[in-house]
Amino acid sequence: MSLTTLSAAELGRLLSRRDVAAREVAQAYLDAIQRKDPTLGAYLTVDPERTLAEADVAQSKIDAGDAGPLGGVPVAIKDNISTADQRTTCASKVLKGYIPPFDATVCTRLRDAGLVGLGKVNLDEFAMGTSCENSAFQLTHNPWDPDRSPGGSSGGSSAAVAGGIAPLALGSDTGGSIRMPASLCGVVGFKPTYGRVSRYGLVAFGSSLDQIGPFGRNVEDAALLAAAISGHDPRDSTSLARPPIATDALRSGRLHGIRLALPLELMSDAAEPGVLDSVRAACAKLEAEGATVEEVSTPSVRYGVTTYYLIAPSEASSNLARFDGIRYGSQVDGSGHVGTVAATRGKLFGHEVKARIMIGTYALSAGYYDAYYVRAQQVRALMAQEFETLFDRFDAVISPTSPVVAFRLGELSRDPLALKLLDTCTIPANMGGFPAISIPCGLSDGLPVGLQLMSPVMSDEKLLQLAWAAEQVLGSLDLPLG
Amino acid sequence: MVLMSISLDEVQHVAHLARLDLDEAELLAFQGELNALLGHFEDIADLDVSNTLPKPHAVALLNVFADDMAEDGLPRERAMGNAATTRAGLFLVPKIIED
């Protein structure tokens, strides 16, 4: 038995029965990282001493009966989530050397539940990208084929979980940054309802869209991690005053009588035939178990990418104004105060981050605000309403997560629009705040295809039950964990 | 409604507003990228949204209050530990007002 091939739930059970010690599990993963990460490039920071010390704390919690079902289980953390006294770079030169003096709420909750931090994983700089290639520090490779992208922006999280160098990971999702890489790596990625997981300590990108969520190798693992990090947080004023996500009824999920809507616009020619075949085959399997799948039309999704690329950069241009090189991060000398700030930002932000700051600054500037930003918010309202109306008749919307399987590194990096269009299926959930999950549903050309399920605001538990039931029918992939 | 294309001067102005020091090549690159994107924004320029209120939040909340209780914050040294330069417990910034 290899500890690194077990699911997180299985590991948690072994740990709670004290069949294995938290330190042993942590060490097994640290060894796997040392062996495999030079090829995968998932981790930006690994600190074995810190991880082993956290494992000892977790063990005391397990021994005292204070740990949750994931007590002693390691977790990789996307490097835009603040970890006290451990560098947090957002994969940007502007935060090189930055050591947060506080923990994100999700990190406090991980520790309270007895989880063990394995290290910080790679992302597109400030979570802006779809391939993880915008990291200022390194490329991350897809464990299914090292020449291919793990997806983005949470590409380090998806590669670590699929590649057997983390049983669980946290990511963040602004327009699909959890679900899309989960799809490309054949793992489960879940974006909870906006506000169910605190954003305190998540370095802000698009504040009205950002949401932290879990990666796991199956639905149960992702659900247990979601349960550990969710719940109201007074430190985030957009946090919903609701209890943590419950998982006790997860295995009561049934497909019989479930009504699924399949938007034709998300099954368009823009998607690869292999992806569409795989999603159609999955729908047939769910129907065979008593679910109904009805084709519907959601014309607003055509405007999703355009709307997203106005709202997210506008919010980013404001959020990223804080990186001035004065209070934290690196500084580049310039002439006077404005010169120093502009030199710092001009030299240390990467191209994509600067592009989005430019778009956002333009869209918010005098004379253009109504034509761009306000109009985008109106279209956002139309999109949200369109899906809310669907939810009157359907339990969930089903679609591909990504229109493509994992693409080659470098293949799309010179075509920014093609990369942005990959977010078409995932953007609606961020626009409406809906929970959405990607689960693997098969292979196309030997690479994983992701199936997305999306449901109404605050129906996270029902969505996870549905995804669990679907997983029982669709089976899981043979991940390259070894 | 037709949206305007953006000139190099405007790109320079936006870069100044955004406090981004960009070289000539970057300014030209962003002019191209912004104009390409602005072309796509035309997609939504003709949509009828006259009866639609803007949606600024994913899930709207009203009047989020916190209890009025004093809590310990970060100690000053810890809060300022990442600063490029400090003096006497304050952030030291480059000169703002010229002599």
Side-chain angles (χ1 to χ4, degrees):
Chain A
M1 177 194 74
S2 164
L3 291 173
T4 56
T5 58
L6 294 173
S7 76
E10 287 166 336
L11 264 183
R13 283 189 281 273
L14 289 180
L15 283 152
S16 70
R17 290 202 302 259
R18 286 188 272 177
D19 288 345
V20 63
R23 205 171 233 271
E24 273 176 78
V25 176
Q27 191 60 57
Y29 269 102
L30 290 169
D31 292 345
I33 291 168
Q34 198 170 28
R35 191 164 49 82
K36 292 189 77 180
D37 201 45
T39 350
L40 291 175
Y43 284 86
L44 292 174
T45 302
V46 181
D47 179 352
E49 247 175 71
R50 180 178 168 120
T51 295
L52 293 173
E54 286 188 24
D56 291 342
V57 173
Q59 189 64 55
S60 327
K61 273 187 172 295
I62 296 168
D63 293 344
D66 285 342
L70 295 177
V73 178
V75 54
I77 297 167
K78 188 177 182 180
D79 206 24
N80 61 349
I81 297 173
S82 303
T83 41
D85 301 312
Q86 183 170 43
R87 69 178 181 184
T88 298
T89 66
C90 293
S92 179
K93 287 180 196 162
V94 87
L95 280 178
K96 204 173 176 181
Y98 169 66
I99 313 272
F102 67 97
D103 263 329
T105 294
V106 290
C107 294
T108 310
R109 296 208 167 148
L110 290 179
R111 213 181 11 259
D112 289 348
L115 282 95
V116 176
L118 264 181
K120 306 298 291 288
V121 283
N122 202 18
L123 64 153
D124 287 297
E125 184 177 1
F126 285 103
M128 296 178 186
T130 315
S131 66
C132 214
E133 291 168 286
N134 291 335
S135 167
F137 302 129
Q138 67 194 36
L139 282 177
T140 297
H141 302 266
N142 192 312
W144 290 79
D145 176 353
D147 290 336
R148 292 177 190 268
S149 163
S153 70
S154 311
S157 307
S158 62
V161 172
I165 52 174
L168 296 168
L170 290 184
S172 65
D173 191 313
T174 306
S177 277
I178 289 175
R179 292 160 283 156
M180 196 273 186
S183 172
L184 267 50
C185 288
V187 296
V188 174
F190 172 46
K191 183 199 88 71
T193 295
Y194 181 88
R196 281 210 91 172
V197 177
S198 169
R199 292 183 298 110
Y200 179 77
L202 170 68
V203 178
F205 162 15
S207 303
S208 78
L209 307 161
D210 295 341
Q211 185 63 190
I212 295 175
F215 285 84
R217 293 184 199 146
N218 59 45
V219 174
E220 183 182 26
D221 287 3
L224 290 172
L225 185 54
I229 58 172
S230 56
H232 181 243
D233 177 17
R235 288 181 153 159
D236 172 3
S237 64
T238 61
S239 165
L240 299 173
R242 301 294 186 95
I245 291 169
T247 57
D248 41 330
L250 185 69
R251 287 162 179 271
S252 68
R254 295 290 176 271
L255 291 165
H256 188 79
I258 292 287
R259 299 155 304 167
L260 300 169
L262 178 67
L264 289 169
E265 289 81 359
L266 301 181
M267 295 291 283
S268 77
D269 299 343
E272 289 174 354
V275 169
L276 296 178
D277 290 347
S278 195
V279 170
R280 284 203 194 92
C283 287
K285 286 181 192 164
L286 302 182
E287 284 185 298
E289 296 297 315
T292 55
V293 178
E294 188 181 320
E295 289 184 342
V296 298
S297 178
T298 52
S300 75
V301 301
R302 277 175 47 213
Y303 309 113
V305 171
T306 300
T307 307
Y308 177 81
Y309 278 95
L310 281 165
I311 293 175
S314 295
E315 295 183 7
S317 75
S318 168
N319 277 324
L320 270 62
R322 61 172 61 95
F323 301 105
D324 56 6
I326 305 284
R327 290 158 299 163
Y328 35 70
S330 305
Q331 190 180 89
V332 174
D333 284 339
S335 166
H337 181 261
V338 171
T340 298
V341 171
T344 298
R345 295 163 59 79
K347 294 283 177 298
L348 300 180
F349 282 138
H351 183 86
E352 184 63 24
V353 174
K354 286 190 274 197
R356 297 203 195 189
I357 292 174
M358 291 290 287
I359 296 163
T361 306
Y362 182 74
L364 294 176
S365 63
Y368 300 109
Y369 182 83
D370 286 334
Y372 291 120
Y373 186 60
V374 173
R375 179 163 284 262
Q377 288 189 336
Q378 288 171 306
V379 180
R380 177 182 190 173
L382 286 180
M383 289 186 73
Q385 283 159 16
E386 196 169 275
F387 283 94
E388 280 156 7
T389 307
L390 273 185
F391 292 138
D392 290 341
R393 291 196 294 131
F394 296 95
D395 296 293
V397 170
I398 187 167
S399 72
T401 305
S402 159
V404 299
V405 294
F407 44 90
R408 289 183 189 284
L409 289 164
E411 186 179 338
L412 297 175
S413 50
R414 265 173 244 97
D415 191 349
L417 187 70
L419 271 175
K420 289 174 169 65
L421 285 170
L422 300 183
D423 295 337
T424 301
C425 300
T426 48
I427 280 173
N430 303 85
M431 291 295 176
F434 310 126
I437 189 166
S438 179
I439 61 173
C441 70
L443 297 175
S444 167
D445 293 331
L447 294 165
V449 176
L451 180 76
Q452 177 176 252
L453 295 164
M454 177 172 81
S455 64
V457 160
M458 280 307 296
S459 68
D460 304 69
E461 284 85 351
K462 277 191 181 162
L463 180 65
L464 290 165
Q465 287 165 24
L466 170 59
W468 181 85
E471 182 183 55
Q472 307 313 305
V473 177
L474 302 174
S476 53
L477 301 178
D478 199 4
L479 293 172
L481 300 173
Chain B
M1 185 169 80
V2 174
L3 301 168
M4 307 283 282
S5 71
I6 179 166
S7 70
L8 199 60
D9 282 349
E10 278 181 289
V11 178
Q12 178 95 60
H13 175 64
V14 172
H16 172 71
L17 290 175
R19 298 289 184 266
L20 288 172
D21 193 1
L22 304 178
D23 61 28
E24 187 82 29
E26 282 181 300
L27 287 170
L28 282 169
F30 286 128
Q31 184 187 19
E33 281 185 42
L34 279 171
N35 275 325
L37 266 172
L38 292 183
H40 291 284
F41 296 161
E42 303 257 343
D43 291 357
I44 64 166
D46 295 324
L47 269 182
D48 181 11
V49 288
S50 49
N51 294 317
T52 309
L53 287 174
K55 180 177 172 65
H57 303 290
V59 180
L61 297 175
L62 278 177
N63 297 338
V64 176
F65 296 115
D67 291 335
D68 189 13
M69 301 225 306
E71 265 187 82
D72 286 336
L74 284 175
R76 179 186 289 227
E77 304 72 39
R78 200 160 157 74
M80 298 181 69
N82 282 288
T85 356
T86 61
R87 189 184 294 167
L90 301 168
F91 293 108
L92 200 61
V93 301
K95 199 173 209 178
I96 292 172
I97 300 165
E98 298 302 323
D99 294 322

